Amino acid sequence: MKKFLLIAFCATSMVAVAPVADAVQIKRACLASDRSAATRDRCSCIQRVANQALTRSDQKTVAKWFRDPHQAQELKMSKTQRDDALWDRYRNFGQMAQAICN
């Protein structure tokens, strides 16, 4: 379960690759986390999956969850269609990252 959470938090619809300055938000957040499984290789892999599964805006939001995981819980409990759609993309991203980066 901890590995899944790491991958999910390191923690999203196919999109064009974001500009270099924005393309590493998930990787940076992953590396900055205090999780022992957050290696450079694993965080790089998770970022590559994020580039495929999440929009740049999604990545920005998800990267914030590393510092404050409660934000993810609040979004999950939200009843708006927009938040539900983001949560679905995030879950898909987590499953893809777990399958590819484990």
Side-chain angles (χ1 to χ4, degrees):
M1 182 64 173
K2 286 183 181 181
K3 276 189 179 181
F4 176 76
L5 289 176
L6 166 67
I7 290 170
F9 280 124
C10 287
T12 187
S13 49
M14 297 297 290
V15 296
V17 175
V20 174
D22 293 333
V24 294
Q25 291 182 45
I26 300 291
K27 180 181 176 182
R28 282 188 197 140
C30 178
L31 288 171
S33 72
D34 61 353
R35 295 168 179 93
S36 61
T39 64
R40 184 169 298 282
D41 287 343
R42 180 168 284 145
C43 292
S44 294
C45 179
I46 291 167
Q47 180 64 61
R48 286 190 300 272
V49 174
N51 290 342
Q52 295 177 13
L54 298 172
T55 67
R56 187 169 38 178
S57 176
D58 290 347
Q59 289 182 41
K60 186 175 180 179
T61 299
V62 170
K64 292 177 185 176
W65 296 350
F66 283 87
R67 290 185 303 277
D68 185 6
H70 183 68
Q71 290 182 11
Q73 184 64 28
E74 287 181 8
L75 184 121
K76 181 180 178 183
M77 301 310 291
S78 172
K79 300 293 185 198
T80 69
Q81 287 183 342
R82 180 177 171 217
D83 288 348
D84 286 347
L86 172 55
W87 188 256
D88 289 344
R89 291 189 303 273
Y90 176 70
R91 280 192 6 212
N92 181 52
F93 155 69
Q95 291 170 348
M96 288 173 54
Q98 186 174 24
I100 295 169
C101 302
N102 234 354

